[in-house]
Amino acid sequence: MRGRWAAGWALAGAVLLGGCGDPSSGPAGPQAAPSAPAVRSPGASASGAAAPGPSPTTHRQAPAEPPVVLYLGDSLAMENQRVLGQELRRELKARYTSAPYSGTTLCDYLEGTGERSLVPDADKAAALVRSVRPDVVVLQFWGNAWGYTPCMDGITYDAAPDRYLRRYAADARRLAGQIARAGGQSPPRIVWVLQGPDPITPERVRKVNAVYTERAAASGDAVADAGRAVSPASGRYTWVRYLPCTAWERAHPDYCTEPGSGRTALHRDDDHLHFCLAPTTSTPKPCPVRSPGVLRIAREITEAVGTAARGGG
């Protein structure tokens, strides 16, 4: 059994280091280094993948002013960042900056981690808050737990789950504190993104989401339950490759990937963790193809950002 889990974590380590890319690119491997963020300012619409079209829902009330949004995270954020920017601009007229790094976890964005971090000093969360002056900071982290991230000091969920969770909660508290202090007298709201089902260690993601929820409650911040949008109605933490198409997806066949069956694909057959339907590559980049899971997640985050920007929770 331990060998089976070790193999699972080896797969997780390989795919979480990469990001979606061109199908002609090679596969990611454990030696791959995270690339620089692909989107750094409010930019044009995605190249390669068409914009997803009008949102299926309309916010009851837009924020009084277009919010300034900063998006940080790991390979899931790397693949989501372009579609999320499109949704935030369309729905909220937001000014948007993203700086995700594949393979990272919360401690990588902490100031003071130095060479043990995969994120350069200029892109630490507090440094970006001081330069961008966001109203909302969105944090999306799967919770890399397989030993690659140097700042985690080798603490993994598989070997020491309680120690991992204590460390993760401490890093969440430190990161929220650094973001708040960097904001000065007008600290940004933080939106913690809750993750979808974990096919390798199912209970781990439930506990990581509890860390995010508790941290948001403690500091008056918010959560976006994006993981619910990629989970079956019968089980919030049940992993599936396919889900029934929504009404909006049925009306937009490119997002209802198996129209004859009424289902849509969330994951590739060879990647159970990412939601981009293009292959994982050694050069992380935003997802270049239409991917229902990516769009579902982006719309849940956008809804939560709009609520946070209006002062709600």
Side-chain angles (χ1 to χ4, degrees):
M1 180 65 73
R2 180 166 293 277
R4 180 181 175 188
W5 284 119
W9 280 118
L11 170 65
V15 296
L16 279 162
L17 285 173
C20 293
D22 191 304
S24 64
S25 301
Q31 76 284 0
S35 71
V39 180
R40 297 306 312 275
S41 63
S45 61
S47 60
S55 177
T57 59
T58 300
H59 294 293
R60 291 186 296 272
Q61 178 183 355
E65 297 290 338
V68 179
V69 180
L70 174 63
Y71 183 42
L72 308 177
D74 56 18
S75 60
L76 295 177
M78 177 66 74
E79 69 181 8
N80 293 343
Q81 62 180 314
R82 189 166 285 157
V83 172
L84 178 59
Q86 291 170 349
E87 290 298 305
L88 288 169
R89 287 187 287 267
R90 182 186 356 260
E91 293 294 315
L92 305 176
K93 310 300 182 186
R95 291 169 52 200
Y96 172 70
T97 297
S98 64
Y101 283 83
S102 294
T104 57
T105 194
L106 298 177
C107 59
D108 287 292
Y109 281 89
L110 287 169
E111 291 190 318
T113 48
E115 294 180 355
R116 295 169 54 252
S117 171
L118 302 178
V119 175
D121 287 348
D123 286 343
K124 300 294 192 185
L128 287 172
V129 168
R130 287 189 289 266
S131 62
V132 175
R133 310 304 300 176
D135 301 301
V136 179
V137 177
V138 179
L139 300 176
Q140 181 169 13
F141 292 89
W142 179 82
N144 288 349
W146 35 268
Y148 176 77
T149 310
C151 63
M152 281 294 290
D153 301 317
I155 301 170
T156 66
Y157 182 83
D158 190 37
D162 290 342
R163 187 181 178 200
Y164 164 84
L165 289 165
R166 287 195 300 270
R167 171 61 185 275
Y168 207 74
D171 287 344
R173 183 173 60 254
R174 288 180 63 198
L175 187 59
Q178 289 189 0
I179 288 171
R181 288 190 294 274
Q185 295 185 352
S186 300
R189 295 288 304 278
I190 297 174
V191 172
W192 296 90
V193 179
L194 305 187
Q195 301 306 294
D198 179 352
I200 300 172
T201 50
E203 191 62 22
R204 183 200 64 84
V205 76
R206 186 195 303 267
K207 293 177 178 178
V208 166
N209 283 347
V211 169
Y212 296 153
T213 302
E214 291 166 7
R215 176 46 35 201
S219 54
D221 290 309
V223 296
D225 194 359
R228 180 184 58 185
V230 289
S231 304
S234 58
R236 169 62 178 80
Y237 289 98
T238 301
W239 184 90
V240 293
R241 180 172 290 127
Y242 302 97
L243 279 179
C245 296
T246 65
W248 185 90
E249 288 165 348
R250 290 194 297 272
H252 297 78
D254 287 336
Y255 287 90
C256 191
T257 58
E258 296 186 54
S261 67
R263 301 187 308 172
T264 196
L266 300 179
H267 305 277
R268 290 173 53 85
D269 291 347
D270 58 356
D271 185 344
H272 294 179
L273 297 177
H274 294 94
F275 295 91
C276 183
L277 298 182
T280 299
T281 72
S282 58
T283 305
K285 62 187 70 174
C287 186
V289 299
R290 293 180 178 90
S291 298
V294 168
L295 182 57
R296 288 182 180 211
I297 289 169
R299 286 178 167 166
E300 288 292 329
I301 295 172
T302 299
E303 183 73 25
V305 169
T307 299
R310 293 190 299 270

